Amino acid sequence: MFGKRSTAAIAAASVTAGALVGYLTAKFAPDLSQLLSELKHSTDGKWQKRALEPAPPSKYDKWVEVYDEPRHFVEMDNMYCRIIRFRFPPGDKTEYHRHRVDSFFVFFNSTRVRNELQGAPLEEFGIKEGTASGACYCTKPIIHRISNIGPRWMHGLDVEIKSFDSNEYKTLPLPETKNIKLLFDSKTNGGKHIRVYSIVIKLGQTAKLSLAFPKLFMCYKGSTLRVTLDNGDAHEERRHMGSYWWDSLDFKAKVENIGTTDYECMVAEWH
């Protein structure tokens, strides 16, 4: 049956369909883009069940999922987390975008921002480099836009928490030392535990680290390090501001700062 259709008829049908798609795209492009962004990530089978949708924005406030926002860049995705880097200069601002997965944020620069959160008054506040904060987006999704109104680039990581183990709640934080400080240790409304440490190794100092859990290192002041493992193997590595790396294995080593500046990073703990 299909073989008897003429080439002209097929071409005419294709033109008609193309014209219809073109018309709908031109008329409903913003809404269609928003819808496609939502559907693309809502149907991602790797993700846990999401919370109920927030109230839709008004017609003049179009939005996309955070993964499709042009100043946010998805850089890593494993069974534990998804890492999204955000980076934009002073005077720039994001599009309206939605967060709906429990997350924590780390900041590599100090600046000032304006937060336009739908359903809430406009607010302005400062961002300090080397700090971290958590957010319960699974139970309280948000749609917002961020403007950089400060003197420096807005630069950091949005780390979405994909998996956790209830045994984590039975473990104690690492004991604090001159090198290790607990930045925050909290539980989200969705039941996920967020625990983040600060590690500082001054120039010329050596720190003995024992991190027996899956972890994410995030460097906000780089230097050159000499790492000596428990088995005696040693190597040198250069860590840069804004870099990060995932490590699922136990890490036990002496770390010496042999660079030219102090070394500072954050470590997020998983179980």
Side-chain angles (χ1 to χ4, degrees), residues 127-189:
I127 297 293
K128 185 178 179 181
E129 68 178 40
T131 59
S133 62
C136 304
Y137 291 141
C138 278
T139 52
K140 295 181 179 180
I142 67 166
I143 296 173
H144 74 154
R145 176 171 66 184
I146 294 290
S147 300
N148 185 356
I149 59 175
R152 302 178 64 191
W153 281 67
M154 177 66 167
H155 183 198
L157 301 176
D158 171 3
V159 182
E160 294 188 336
I161 306 167
K162 294 171 59 176
S163 69
F164 67 101
D165 189 327
S166 60
N167 290 330
E168 180 179 0
Y169 310 134
K170 301 176 183 179
T171 64
L172 295 175
L174 295 175
E176 292 197 350
T177 67
K178 67 177 182 180
N179 302 112
I180 300 177
K181 303 295 181 184
L182 183 64
L183 286 181
F184 67 86
D185 183 12
S186 62
K187 186 177 178 180
T188 71
N189 294 337

Side-chain angles (χ1 to χ4, degrees), residues 54-244:
S58 59
K59 290 184 178 180
Y60 53 85
D61 288 340
K62 304 305 178 185
W63 55 270
V64 295
E65 299 292 349
V66 63
Y67 321 116
D68 295 321
E69 204 289 314
R71 292 155 189 83
H72 290 72
F73 311 92
V74 178
E75 294 186 343
M76 193 189 87
D77 187 354
N78 64 20
M79 65 179 290
Y80 297 95
C81 64
R82 172 184 268 180
I83 298 178
I84 307 167
R85 186 184 300 275
F86 51 87
R87 191 171 185 270
F88 50 100
D92 197 6
K93 61 185 175 183
T94 70
E95 297 178 4
Y96 279 101
H97 57 279
R98 179 167 64 175
H99 297 272
R100 52 177 174 165
V101 179
D102 287 346
S103 304
F104 67 86
F105 297 83
V106 299
F107 304 99
F108 299 130
N109 280 345
S110 296
T111 191
R112 188 168 180 80
V113 299
R114 177 182 299 120
N115 183 24
E116 298 173 76
L117 178 65
Q118 292 201 351
L122 182 147
E123 59 178 349
E124 296 181 359
F125 51 88
I127 297 293
K128 185 178 179 181
E129 68 178 40
T131 59
S133 62
C136 304
Y137 291 141
C138 278
T139 52
K140 295 181 179 180
I142 67 166
I143 296 173
H144 74 154
R145 176 171 66 184
I146 294 290
S147 300
N148 185 356
I149 59 175
R152 302 178 64 191
W153 281 67
M154 177 66 167
H155 183 198
L157 301 176
D158 171 3
V159 182
E160 294 188 336
I161 306 167
K162 294 171 59 176
S163 69
F164 67 101
D165 189 327
S166 60
N167 290 330
E168 180 179 0
Y169 310 134
K170 301 176 183 179
T171 64
L172 295 175
L174 295 175
E176 292 197 350
T177 67
K178 67 177 182 180
N179 302 112
I180 300 177
K181 303 295 181 184
L182 183 64
L183 286 181
F184 67 86
D185 183 12
S186 62
K187 186 177 178 180
T188 71
N189 294 337
K192 297 176 182 177
H193 203 179
I194 304 175
R195 186 178 284 166
V196 180
Y197 305 91
S198 169
I199 294 181
V200 177
I201 307 176
K202 300 288 188 180
L203 179 61
Q205 285 188 352
T206 299
K208 188 170 184 179
L209 303 179
S210 179
L211 309 174
F213 45 75
K215 56 206 156 292
L216 177 67
F217 292 90
M218 299 156 285
C219 175
Y220 59 94
K221 284 190 179 178
S223 192
T224 301
L225 308 175
R226 179 181 291 118
V227 181
T228 304
L229 303 177
D230 274 0
N231 62 8
D233 291 345
H235 65 276
E236 294 182 7
E237 54 188 54
R238 173 68 184 172
R239 295 300 183 185
H240 299 274
M241 185 276 285
S243 64
Y244 61 86

Side-chain angles (χ1 to χ4, degrees), residues 37-52:
S37 174
E38 180 179 354
L39 289 177
K40 181 172 75 172
H41 301 290
S42 295
T43 56
D44 186 347
K46 295 183 295 183
W47 290 96
Q48 71 267 34
K49 186 177 180 180
R50 297 316 203 321
L52 294 175

